């Protein structure tokens, strides 16, 4: 199973500096990294910093989010088929919403091959102090990236006074009380901090052990496998009971009287069913806050 980290952070926060340093550390412990990089413009400026021996896939002028999910899925499948790697790092564009970016990574096609370790958000500490100067929409996205992080990197601390540093940490803790906050410069992050994250909740039979940092993560995913079929009405009734903290459900649902499981999508209260002409594994992925506590259809 491949470990996956999703690097988030606003434009110019220091994500690429962190990426380069993390790649170095991964290699030093004898593991092979791969990178999926989302560039906001037409030219792959950031990807030029990735060494040639690291498998790299790029998405130009796209977004690793709902609208670009199919492209993301294809790129990940290509990496899994063509490249030898242990750890996949996905660097999102600075304007990507973290929940939508995480959603795009969870495909039922390779749910058992990837172990999503978590969202690592790099926050420009100086920009945080001056966030009120940002346009409302931009400021909202900046806050969302911080609020959904599993690990928060308070970067560029060397540009602040001691009192400003304390203010940043205090306010970031208020914005996201669940995340571990690392104060750093030039995007430096010890690899041990990354290894302790765990955002994927898998069936008990997989025998996943909780990590010290990861066991209390709020935003997480859960893989559910089905051994029985349902009617569409039964399944949608269960969907209607889900708490508002469940943001996404997607996968393949076995329907009574139908040969192949249906492709199912749920987001923002809306459901979509599509017939599938190939027999896919009957399983879904649930994404949200504290999804391990969600009651699953068919559970007694």
């Amino acid at each position: 199973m491949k470990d996956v980290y999703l690097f988030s952070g606003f434009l110019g926060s220091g994500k690429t500096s962190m990426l380069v340093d993390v790649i170095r550390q991964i290699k030093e412990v004898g593991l092979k990294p791969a990178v999926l990089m989302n560039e906001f413009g037409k030219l792959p400026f950031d990807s030029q910093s990735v060494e040639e021996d690291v498998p790299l896939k790029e998405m130009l002028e796209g977004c690793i989010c709902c609208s670009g999910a199919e492209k993301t899925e294809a790129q990940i499948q290509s990496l899994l088929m063509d490249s030898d790697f242990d750890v996949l790092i996905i660097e999102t564009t600075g304007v990507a919403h973290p929940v939508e970016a995480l959603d795009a990574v969870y495909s039922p096609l390779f749910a058992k091959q990837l172990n999503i370790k978590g969202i690592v958000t790099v926050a420009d500490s100086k920009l945080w102090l001056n966030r009120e100067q940002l346009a409302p929409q931009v400021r909202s996205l900046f806050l969302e990236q911080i609020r959904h992080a599993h690990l928060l990197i308070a970067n560029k601390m060397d540009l602040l006074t001691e009192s400003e540093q304390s203010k940043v940490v205090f306010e970031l803790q208020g914005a996201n009380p669940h995340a571990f906050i690392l104060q750093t410069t030039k995007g430096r992050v010890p690899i041990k901090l990354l290894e302790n994250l765990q955002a994927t909740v898998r069936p008990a039979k997989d025998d996943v052990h909780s990590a010290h940092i990861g066991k209390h993560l709020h935003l997480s995913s859960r893989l559910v496998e089905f051994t029985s079929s349902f009617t569409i009405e039964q399944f949608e009734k269960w969907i209607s009971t889900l708490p508002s903290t469940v943001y996404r459900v997607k996968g393949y649902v076995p329907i009574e009287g139908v040969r192949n499981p249906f492709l199912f999508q749920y987001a923002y209260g809306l459901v979509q069913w599509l017939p599938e002409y190939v027999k896919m594994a009957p399983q879904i992925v649930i994404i949200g806050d504290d999804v391990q506590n969600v009651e699953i259809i068919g559970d007694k």
Side-chain angles (χ1 to χ4, degrees):
M1 186 174 288
K2 319 286 187 183
D3 285 344
V4 181
Y5 298 97
L6 198 148
F7 287 1
S8 174
F10 204 65
L11 298 166
S13 60
K15 291 194 304 297
T16 303
S17 296
M18 179 173 70
L19 172 68
V20 171
D21 189 57
V22 169
I23 287 174
R24 174 188 61 80
Q25 294 183 72
I26 290 173
K27 287 182 174 181
E28 285 179 353
V29 297
L31 297 176
K32 298 176 182 179
V35 175
L36 174 58
M37 185 173 287
N38 189 197
E39 301 272 16
F40 188 62
K42 294 182 179 180
L43 299 176
F45 290 115
D46 290 344
S47 62
Q48 294 171 9
S49 60
V50 178
E51 296 176 1
E52 290 184 3
D53 64 334
V54 177
L56 171 70
K57 294 290 182 181
E58 298 166 287
M59 292 178 62
L60 301 181
E61 286 195 298
C63 180
I64 299 178
C65 59
C66 288
S67 59
E70 290 184 2
K71 292 180 181 179
T72 305
E73 183 178 300
Q75 296 284 40
I76 293 175
Q77 279 188 300
S78 179
L79 278 170
L80 288 170
M81 290 176 61
D82 304 334
S83 304
D84 178 24
F85 66 94
D86 305 299
V87 181
L88 174 60
I89 301 173
I90 300 174
E91 182 185 325
T92 67
T93 172
V95 294
H97 190 289
V99 172
E100 294 185 347
L102 188 65
D103 171 66
V105 180
Y106 284 110
S107 167
L109 297 178
F110 40 70
K112 290 186 176 181
Q113 295 176 263
L114 301 181
N115 178 33
I116 313 298
K117 298 287 283 183
I119 297 173
V120 182
T121 297
V122 189
D124 182 328
S125 300
K126 200 164 188 67
L127 180 62
W128 172 261
L129 291 177
N130 298 316
R131 63 190 181 281
E132 294 303 322
Q133 298 175 16
L134 298 171
Q137 252 187 324
V138 174
R139 184 169 65 249
S140 176
L141 175 62
F142 187 29
L143 289 170
E144 285 291 284
Q145 291 175 341
I146 287 168
R147 189 168 73 86
H148 288 292
H150 299 118
L151 174 62
L152 259 177
I153 310 302
N155 200 24
K156 305 183 183 181
M157 277 290 184
D158 54 324
L159 303 180
L160 306 182
T161 65
E162 284 190 15
S163 61
E164 287 175 331
Q165 291 176 4
S166 299
K167 180 178 172 65
V168 166
V169 173
F170 178 77
E171 291 180 349
L172 288 178
Q173 284 176 333
N176 185 346
H178 306 278
F180 182 88
I181 299 174
L182 174 70
Q183 301 177 60
T184 191
T185 61
K186 298 181 180 178
R188 295 194 184 96
V189 182
I191 196 169
K192 285 295 182 185
L193 270 184
L194 301 178
E195 292 174 342
N196 284 337
L197 294 173
Q198 186 59 64
T200 303
V201 182
R202 296 187 176 274
K205 65 181 180 181
D206 285 4
D207 195 28
V208 173
H209 299 281
S210 297
H212 176 65
I213 293 176
K215 64 183 178 180
H216 298 305
L217 295 181
H218 55 304
L219 180 64
S220 57
S221 75
R222 181 175 176 180
L223 177 65
V224 178
E225 300 178 56
F226 297 118
T227 57
S228 59
S229 301
F230 314 95
T231 66
I232 288 180
E233 291 75 18
Q234 286 173 332
F235 199 81
E236 289 191 357
K237 183 178 180 180
W238 169 68
I239 288 291
S240 70
T241 66
L242 294 176
S244 60
T245 50
V246 171
Y247 306 128
R248 303 277 196 276
V249 179
K250 63 182 185 180
Y252 297 95
V253 180
I255 298 299
E256 290 180 2
V258 180
R259 182 177 179 180
N260 296 327
F262 269 63
L263 173 61
F264 177 80
Q265 301 265 8
Y266 165 83
Y268 302 115
L270 301 175
V271 300
Q272 180 185 42
W273 295 93
L274 292 172
E276 182 57 59
Y277 301 102
V278 178
K279 189 171 181 61
M280 306 299 294
Q283 58 189 17
I284 59 171
V285 174
I286 304 172
I287 303 170
D289 292 340
D290 300 318
V291 294
Q292 63 270 25
N293 295 320
V294 172
E295 185 174 343
I296 303 301
I297 184 172
D299 284 356
K300 294 183 179 180

